[in-house]
């Protein structure tokens, strides 16, 4: 009898026999079509906000040895903000016409996001055949951060890939390569720079060699090739350090927009900074040896703190929190509670809260939900870790860590390779193919005899 190739057999329409298969069969088409819509329809259509135009113009100016840092920062249009090392790396974009260049940049970022999705699955020990694969892919491409990264056409997809690759290389103790990936990212934009603290906490000092060396080397190469490299430090860096009151969801941005007094703005930032320090100390003191949990959680805390407490935080920066959100599958994850996911809704949802009927309320919710989401996430993490610490101290088990006994012995919600079940399922399919048993009869038989599988298979 005809046997399709292994890859094509995965696409053969068949009736699902388990809850896990039902969910996978339902979500894979939704995930794939969502990806295609976001990349080839929404992104190509674009929006009034265009982050790519200043990037292309700067690349063109660099290739023609014209001044790059000439933006009028009094305007609210997107500006070119990358350092000379970043200009050197992205300059090839201007070798073709703007439209095709933008399409290539969209595809580059989409490919980077998809590769980051695959690496996240591997990081948490899932496979493409697991139920987690379509769930994560659909969630990522339904989020505001991925949609607007592609629609506005900026480099954040590549930064996400750099973050996930850095985490995997760091956990694999490949320090120089981890630093090189981080250095390439920092050379374009310094969003991931705080992650060097994780390498320092783990004593992986070689990371610093390449994390610092790569952007310095690229800057040295770009400096004589650029017409005005010094203007980045004298004009652009000064602009970046000054908080603006538009398109800025950091605490200082909303404080400036709503006219809060300076002492209140600083008070909120200091309070949130203290919570961040408490969380990082508890993670360092009690979870250093739980490597995957420590690195993914600490990276999430550092990234969220950067977005919230720095001079500029924009909603689509939240893409860098995907490793933290994926850590929900770990038994001791700080994300296993509903307030954490209420926070996630604030900074990940693509919903708009602007209302024709309640204009003032809708505007305030829309402008503040990102800031409140980041803040609530930091509060939740600090409270979860703090509660575990107080409980452990009260019960006299700090020497054994913060996790209670039930949590230490509980399995992670990761996929365990059910080789025997898969083998039996394959053998059963072969029997069905050769005997010509009716699919409905086979399905009813399976429902009577099959044991339920893990929900994340």
């Amino acid at each position: 009898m005809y046997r399709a190739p292994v890859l094509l057999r995965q696409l053969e329409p068949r009736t699902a026999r388990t809850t896990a298969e039902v969910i996978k069969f339902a979500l894979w088409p939704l995930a794939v079509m969502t990806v295609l819509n976001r990349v080839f329809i929404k992104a190509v259509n674009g929006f009034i906000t265009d982050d790519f135009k200043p990037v292309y113009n700067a690349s063109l100016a660099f290739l023609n040895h014209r001044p790059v840092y000439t933006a009028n920062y009094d305007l609210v249009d997107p500006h070119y903000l990358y350092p000379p090392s970043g200009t050197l790396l992205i300059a090839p974009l201007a070798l073709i016409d703007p439209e095709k260049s933008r399409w290539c940049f969209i595809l580059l970022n989409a490919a980077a996001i998809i590769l980051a999705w695959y690496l996240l699955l591997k990081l948490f020990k899932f496979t493409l055949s697991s139920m987690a694969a379509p769930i994560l892919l659909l969630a990522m491409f339904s989020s505001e951060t991925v949609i607007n990264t592609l629609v506005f056409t900026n480099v954040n997809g590549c930064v996400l890939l750099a973050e996930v690759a850095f985490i995997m290389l760091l956990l694999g103790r490949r320090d120089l390569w981890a630093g090189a990936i981080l250095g390439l990212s920092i050379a374009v934009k310094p969003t991931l720079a705080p992650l060097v603290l994780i390498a320092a906490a783990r004593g992986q000092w070689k990371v610093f060699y390449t994390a610092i060396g790569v952007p310095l080397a690229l800057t040295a190469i770009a400096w004589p090739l650029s017409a005005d490299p010094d203007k980045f430090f004298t004009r652009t860096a000064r602009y970046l350090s000054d908080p603006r009151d538009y398109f800025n969801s950091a605490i200082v941005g909303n404080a400036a927009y709503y006219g809060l007094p300076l002492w209140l703005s600083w008070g909120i930032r200091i309070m949130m900074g203290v919570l961040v320090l408490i969380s990082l100390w508890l993670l360092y003191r009690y979870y250093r040896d739980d490597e995957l949990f420590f690195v993914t959680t600490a990276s999430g805390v550092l990234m969220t703190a950067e977005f919230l407490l720095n001079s500029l935080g924009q909603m689509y920066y939240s893409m860098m929190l995907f490793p933290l959100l994926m850590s929900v599958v770990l038994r001791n994850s700080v994300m296993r509670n509903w307030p954490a996911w209420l926070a996630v809704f604030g900074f990940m949802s693509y919903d708009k809260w602007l209302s024709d009927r309640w204009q003032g309320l809708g505007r305030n919710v829309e402008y503040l939900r990102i800031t409140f989401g980041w803040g609530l996430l930091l509060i939740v993490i600090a409270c979860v870790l703090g509660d575990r610490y107080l409980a452990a101290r009260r019960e006299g088990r700090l020497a054994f860590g913060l996790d209670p006994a039930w949590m230490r012995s509980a399995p992670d919600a990761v996929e365990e390779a059910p080789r025997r079940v898969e083998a039996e399922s394959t053998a059963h399919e072969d029997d069905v193919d050769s005997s010509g048993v009716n699919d409905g009869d086979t399905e009813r038989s399976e429902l009577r005899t099959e044991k339920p599988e893990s929900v994340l298979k």
Side-chain angles (χ1 to χ4, degrees):
M1 176 172 262
Y2 172 77
R3 289 289 189 270
V6 174
L7 291 177
L8 293 180
R9 286 199 66 176
Q10 300 297 320
L11 301 178
E12 290 181 6
R14 59 184 185 273
T15 301
R17 298 170 179 172
T18 66
T19 302
E21 283 192 339
V22 170
I23 295 176
K24 286 191 291 184
F25 291 172
L27 290 187
W28 266 118
L30 298 179
V32 171
M33 297 309 295
T34 298
V35 171
L36 295 176
N37 173 267
R38 302 305 189 249
V39 175
F40 296 105
I41 303 301
K42 291 191 73 71
V44 172
N45 286 348
F47 190 66
I48 189 172
T49 301
D50 185 0
D51 290 344
F52 181 74
K53 183 177 180 180
V55 170
Y56 185 88
N57 290 339
S59 300
L60 189 62
F62 176 83
L63 292 179
N64 289 280
H65 203 68
R66 297 198 304 264
V68 171
Y69 302 102
T70 59
N72 182 359
Y73 297 131
D74 293 329
L75 303 178
V76 299
D77 297 329
H79 304 303
Y80 182 75
L81 305 174
Y82 299 158
S85 55
T87 308
L88 176 68
L89 291 176
I90 65 174
L93 288 171
L95 293 176
I96 56 178
D97 65 87
E99 184 179 44
K100 291 185 177 63
S101 179
R102 180 174 177 271
W103 292 352
C104 289
F105 203 51
I106 290 171
L107 290 176
L108 174 64
N109 276 276
I113 294 168
I114 292 172
L115 183 53
W117 159 78
Y118 174 71
L119 293 179
L120 274 175
L121 291 175
K122 288 194 64 176
L123 182 65
F124 289 92
K125 300 181 176 64
F126 289 106
T127 66
L128 293 178
S129 62
S130 69
M131 198 176 72
I135 292 176
L136 179 60
L137 186 63
L138 179 61
M140 291 175 72
F141 278 83
S142 298
S143 66
E144 184 277 347
T145 179
V146 168
I147 294 173
N148 280 346
T149 287
L150 296 175
V151 172
F152 298 166
T153 318
N154 58 54
V155 76
N156 287 336
C158 297
V159 178
L160 172 65
L161 176 59
E163 180 189 22
V164 179
F166 168 77
I167 289 174
M168 294 193 73
L169 292 168
L170 192 72
L171 290 172
R173 298 284 172 176
R174 302 178 67 178
D175 296 358
L176 293 177
W177 281 109
I181 294 294
L182 191 62
L184 281 173
S185 172
I186 293 173
V188 178
K189 58 189 303 186
T191 305
L192 301 182
L195 297 185
V196 297
L197 296 176
I198 298 177
R202 289 166 54 85
Q204 294 175 254
W205 301 106
K206 290 183 179 179
V207 169
F208 286 80
Y209 299 164
T210 44
I212 297 174
V214 167
L216 287 180
L218 290 172
T219 300
I221 296 171
W223 198 274
L225 300 177
S226 179
D228 58 344
D230 57 304
K231 292 294 179 61
F232 173 79
F233 300 97
T234 58
R235 291 188 74 246
T236 306
R238 185 182 304 170
Y239 167 77
L240 287 171
S241 64
D242 291 335
R244 66 193 197 196
D245 60 358
Y246 62 93
F247 303 140
N248 188 0
S249 295
I251 289 174
V252 291
N254 271 317
Y257 179 81
Y258 286 99
L260 297 185
L262 188 62
W263 66 266
L264 181 57
S265 172
W266 272 106
I268 297 172
R269 294 170 79 184
I270 291 172
M271 180 184 68
M272 297 305 299
V274 169
L275 291 181
V276 169
L277 292 176
I278 291 172
S279 297
L280 291 175
W281 181 82
L282 291 173
L283 287 168
Y284 174 78
R285 177 69 178 81
Y286 295 102
Y287 286 103
R288 281 199 315 274
D289 296 331
D290 190 350
E291 293 189 322
L292 182 57
F293 172 79
F294 172 72
V295 172
T296 54
T297 306
S299 67
V301 173
L302 288 170
M303 290 291 95
T304 309
E306 180 186 10
F307 307 154
L308 187 66
L309 304 180
N310 212 345
S311 60
L312 177 63
Q314 294 185 306
M315 189 175 182
Y316 51 44
Y317 293 174
S318 302
M319 184 182 294
M320 311 313 152
L321 301 183
F322 279 133
L324 170 65
L325 305 190
M326 189 63 184
S327 73
V328 71
V329 302
L330 302 178
R331 67 188 185 284
N332 52 357
S333 173
V334 295
M335 300 300 297
R336 291 191 168 192
N337 55 82
W338 68 261
W341 292 96
L342 177 62
V344 171
F345 179 86
F347 57 74
M348 281 287 183
S349 170
Y350 194 59
D351 294 340
K352 301 297 181 185
W353 287 80
L354 300 175
S355 169
D356 293 333
R357 177 62 181 83
W358 299 284
Q359 294 184 7
L361 177 62
R363 186 185 306 111
N364 290 334
V365 172
E366 176 63 20
Y367 291 173
L368 292 172
R369 66 187 177 96
I370 306 103
T371 311
F372 284 174
W374 289 335
L376 178 58
L377 183 63
L378 292 176
I379 292 171
V380 167
I381 293 174
C383 288
V384 169
L385 295 174
D387 180 67
R388 290 180 188 176
Y389 172 80
L390 294 175
R393 188 177 69 172
R394 185 170 58 249
E395 297 169 9
R397 51 179 174 81
L398 281 177
F400 305 101
L402 301 188
D403 295 344
W406 69 265
M407 189 178 291
R408 290 196 299 270
S409 60
D412 293 329
V414 296
E415 181 185 45
E416 300 175 0
R419 299 181 185 276
R420 182 179 60 81
V421 174
E422 290 180 356
E424 291 176 356
S425 176
T426 303
H428 182 79
E429 290 177 5
D430 292 340
D431 291 342
V432 171
D433 288 340
S434 60
S435 62
V437 177
N438 179 271
D439 182 66
D441 294 338
T442 303
E443 182 182 1
R444 285 190 290 273
S445 175
E446 283 295 315
L447 290 174
R448 288 194 300 269
T449 60
E450 187 181 75
K451 294 181 180 179
E453 299 180 26
S454 167
V455 71
L456 279 178
K457 176 180 177 298

